[in-house]
Amino acid sequence: MEQRIEEAARPRREVPAPPGLSRGAPVPWWVKLGMKLSLAAIGVHGGRARALGLARPSFDAATPAKLVEVPRAWLDRAEALIGRRPRTMLEIGPGGMVVRAPVLAGLGLRRVWFADPADSAPAGLAPYRAAAELARSQGLPAPDLAGCRDRGTALARCGASLLIGGPSALASIPDGAVDLVVSEAVLEHVRRDDMAPLLQQLRRVTAPDGIGLHGIDFQDHLGGGLQHLRFSDQFWASPLVGRAGIYVNRLGLSAMVGRFRRAGFEVTVAEAVVWERRPAGPRKPHPEATRPVADDLVARALIEVRPG
């Protein structure tokens, strides 16, 4: 079984990892770890850390590339794979990118769901109106958000809903209602115990001819290496590490592919960003973090999944 899973995880295309991938600030990984844990211990994490300028997304959510070009590429790829334009979409873990709702409506999606374990989307209307204006400037018929009283009415005008919570939050989506499921650097953050319930829900809501496009990071968040493999599960899965924003589930590519397959999906690894040699990390990983050697060379991957 393990050999079949590893064969299924073989990428169709490999891209060399660029030097300094996800390196971040030029300080030792253990300094970053200590700082993040210390701040989390005194309650400075998540939205509070972002408000103080101590944490920020790795991208600018207001750029045309993120707001328009990325979802357009998703829809084009989905159309190429399923032979029709998607009408409905679910994004897992969008964070602040919920502001794309007017753009997605302008691209022709009739119904959109955003699902996130916590609400980190902008509450004010200004970002949504700016996104709608950007979409219209690029020729997309985005909804007019004039007269919307709050975020909820703005999302409703775009045919969008924001679902907050774990896998059970997807229960309100009808069976087979979603043509396209997407996630960007999200699935690596899902707790291992939540992976099976989440993937079961994704299998339930995906249309019979639907498609899932998932970009997944496999490196640590301490400098873009494998330092996260040196710790026990008891420490790494602790609430403190979670609050510090550095938790990733440490599943390698083959394990991630295996979990999708067990949930009833057919999986294609469309592309993998790979290191030429094993990056910085423990010479011998903790026994609870051991995984196939080939997985340690995969920094990122794009997988395409469809109901089996």
Side-chain angles (χ1 to χ4, degrees), residues 2 138 268:
E2 184 66 28
Q138 299 201 14
T268 298

Side-chain angles (χ1 to χ4, degrees), residues 14-196:
E14 291 189 356
V15 178
L21 177 67
S22 300
R23 184 170 296 165
V27 296
W29 69 269
W30 49 269
V31 173
K32 296 179 184 179
L33 175 63
M35 291 177 61
K36 288 177 179 291
L37 292 178
S38 298
L39 290 170
I42 61 174
V44 181
H45 56 85
R48 182 174 297 179
R50 288 191 293 272
L52 294 173
L54 299 174
R56 60 184 178 84
S58 58
F59 57 82
D60 182 355
T63 62
K66 294 297 295 186
L67 285 172
V68 179
E69 294 171 22
V70 167
R72 180 177 275 148
W74 286 337
L75 295 178
D76 288 347
R77 181 58 179 164
E79 184 174 11
L81 290 170
I82 68 178
R84 63 178 177 85
R85 198 71 171 170
R87 297 180 293 270
T88 56
M89 191 186 97
L90 164 65
E91 182 171 3
I92 303 298
M97 296 313 299
V98 172
V99 300
R100 276 194 290 229
V103 177
L104 295 171
L107 286 167
L109 288 164
R110 302 175 187 172
R111 190 75 175 88
V112 176
W113 293 270
F114 299 105
D116 226 330
D119 187 351
S120 55
L125 288 173
Y128 302 90
R129 288 172 173 159
E133 290 175 8
L134 174 64
R136 286 192 289 271
S137 74
Q138 299 201 14
L140 301 177
D144 183 358
L145 301 184
C148 291
R149 303 183 307 277
D150 51 31
R151 183 182 70 182
T153 55
L155 290 178
R157 190 164 295 181
C158 299
S161 299
L162 176 58
L163 310 176
I164 302 299
S168 61
L170 303 182
S172 62
I173 303 176
D175 293 1
V178 181
D179 295 332
L180 171 61
V181 180
V182 298
S183 68
E184 292 184 285
V186 168
L187 295 183
E188 67 269 20
H189 296 287
V190 177
R191 296 276 170 171
R192 290 194 178 199
D193 289 346
D194 286 336
M195 282 296 297

Side-chain angles (χ1 to χ4, degrees), residues 91-94 115 170 181-192 194-195 198-199 202 212-218 221 247-252 256-257 259-260 265 301-305:
E91 182 171 3
I92 303 298
L170 303 182
V181 180
V182 298
S183 68
E184 292 184 285
V186 168
L187 295 183
E188 67 269 20
H189 296 287
V190 177
R191 296 276 170 171
R192 290 194 178 199
D194 286 336
M195 282 296 297
L198 174 61
L199 298 184
L202 296 186
L213 305 177
H214 302 282
I216 308 171
D217 280 356
F218 296 101
H221 284 34
Y247 173 82
V248 289
N249 54 39
R250 305 194 290 189
L251 296 174
M256 193 69 75
V257 167
R259 297 212 175 195
F260 269 100
F265 288 98
L302 173 63
I303 68 172
E304 300 169 348
V305 304

